[in-house]
Amino acid sequence: MSTNGSEAADPSGVHEHGVHEHGASDGHGHGHGHGVSANADRRWLSIALALIMAFLVAEVVVGVLANSLALLSDAAHMLTDAASIVLALIAMRLSARPARGIFTYGLRRTEILSAQANGLTLLLLSIWLTYEAIRRLIDPGPVAGGLVLITALVGVVVNVVAAWAISKANRASLNVEGAFQHILTDLYGFIATAVAGVIVLLTGFARADAIASLVVVVLMVRAGIGLVRDAGRIFLEAAPSGVDPDSLGDRLVDMPRVDEVHDLHVWQITSGQTALSAHVLVEAGTDCHGLRRDIEQVLASDYAITHTTLQVDHAVQPAESTPADAQLLPLAEPHCADTHGPVHREGPHAH
């Protein structure tokens, strides 16, 4: 029978309607669609982490000696870079664990927690750096421009290599993208710091160091807001970017022999893994199995959605109705007392 008990079981004993279908791309392969394995991701992230930690220690020492806020702010940001990569590596290991017990999706969303933590760290750190930069603008101290310039140029090289290493991992993962954004922001920051070092060295304008810090802050805020926004969409079960649930519902109800689609939900389990569930009412006598397969093919080919849960039922119509009345009947009521979201019906779309 169907999951709501409105249909009888088919002769094979298999539930005809309330079908939970997992596409071929289900499983731990999600988020690695371009062929990069989870082990490769961890290897590239580990290389980037080693580079950053080695340079971080040297930069703190030089920043103190040169009295450069720009270098110290870059060092603080590099510390968050290292933390973001450590979080990413931990999240990868947790998300690879199989689903069991109360965690029916496993721990895949730990990567989204990691991405959101990275974004919040960027935003909080930007507040402190803004305060320090303003203080230095008001009362600048002496800055050793030569040390700043040399260290910043080395930092550019280190961050280019680290960014390249992380780019070899799977950036479709919001977790990896969070670590990449940290590194990329730091790279831009070192370029700004190098420019400030040249200005201080040639003109003695010490405030250039603080101005460079503010440039870093702007980049950090931009990257932080993007990460928090994208992670928040996943936590709030919003449809992924580029998928309009209303248009998708209209597309499904336009398929032959589909009368109505309601309780349509589209969300992301984690980055790169979109899921969909819906209740589909079809014309009496329709092959539910065949139509379900047709719907799954449309979702996979047109929307790249392969993790679907579709309940397919025959539309229930009063005995006195005629075939001409079929399109005008309130089809959902016999099946769902309380539908969630818009109802998509055959004919002119009314939600």
Side-chain angles (χ1 to χ4, degrees), residues 13-185:
V14 178
H15 290 297
E16 181 181 0
H17 303 310
V19 178
H20 190 174
E21 178 69 17
H22 291 272
S25 59
D26 253 5
H28 301 304
H30 281 291
H32 298 274
H34 59 34
V36 178
S37 69
N39 287 334
D41 281 351
R42 286 193 286 267
R43 183 170 65 253
W44 288 115
L45 288 175
S46 297
I47 291 172
L49 178 61
L51 286 170
I52 287 169
M53 290 302 297
F55 182 75
L56 172 62
V57 175
E59 187 179 21
V60 170
V61 173
V62 176
V64 172
L65 293 175
N67 192 32
S68 170
L69 178 62
L71 284 181
L72 291 175
S73 64
D74 282 332
H77 188 211
M78 289 198 81
L79 182 61
T80 68
D81 293 346
S84 73
I85 295 175
V86 171
L87 280 174
L89 289 168
I90 293 173
M92 281 180 180
R93 291 194 175 277
L94 291 176
S95 63
R97 293 182 179 180
R100 61 165 62 95
I102 63 173
F103 297 103
T104 57
Y105 282 126
L107 297 174
R108 296 181 186 181
R109 278 202 175 169
T110 52
E111 74 156 25
I112 308 304
L113 285 170
S114 171
Q116 191 160 68
N118 287 336
L120 290 172
T121 301
L122 285 170
L123 294 176
L124 292 174
L125 187 59
S126 68
I127 295 173
W128 175 75
L129 291 177
T130 299
Y131 167 78
E132 284 296 321
I134 292 174
R135 188 174 66 84
R136 291 286 185 105
L137 283 173
I138 295 172
D139 183 21
V143 177
L147 280 176
V148 171
L149 176 59
I150 293 172
T151 307
L153 291 176
V154 175
V156 168
V157 174
V158 169
N159 276 271
V160 166
V161 176
W164 172 81
I166 294 183
S167 72
K168 301 291 286 184
N170 176 28
R171 286 181 56 201
S173 163
L174 192 60
N175 183 35
V176 175
E177 180 65 16
F180 182 79
Q181 287 298 327
H182 269 269
I183 302 296
L184 198 61
T185 302

Side-chain angles (χ1 to χ4, degrees), residues 232-265:
R233 285 177 61 89
I234 293 177
F235 282 130
L236 293 174
E237 306 284 3
S241 178
V243 177
D244 180 0
D246 284 339
S247 297
L248 191 155
D250 291 341
R251 171 76 174 84
L252 296 183
V253 84
D254 283 339
M255 294 180 64
R257 304 186 72 82
V258 175
D259 280 338
E260 181 176 310
V261 175
H262 59 268
D263 283 353
L264 173 63
H265 302 282

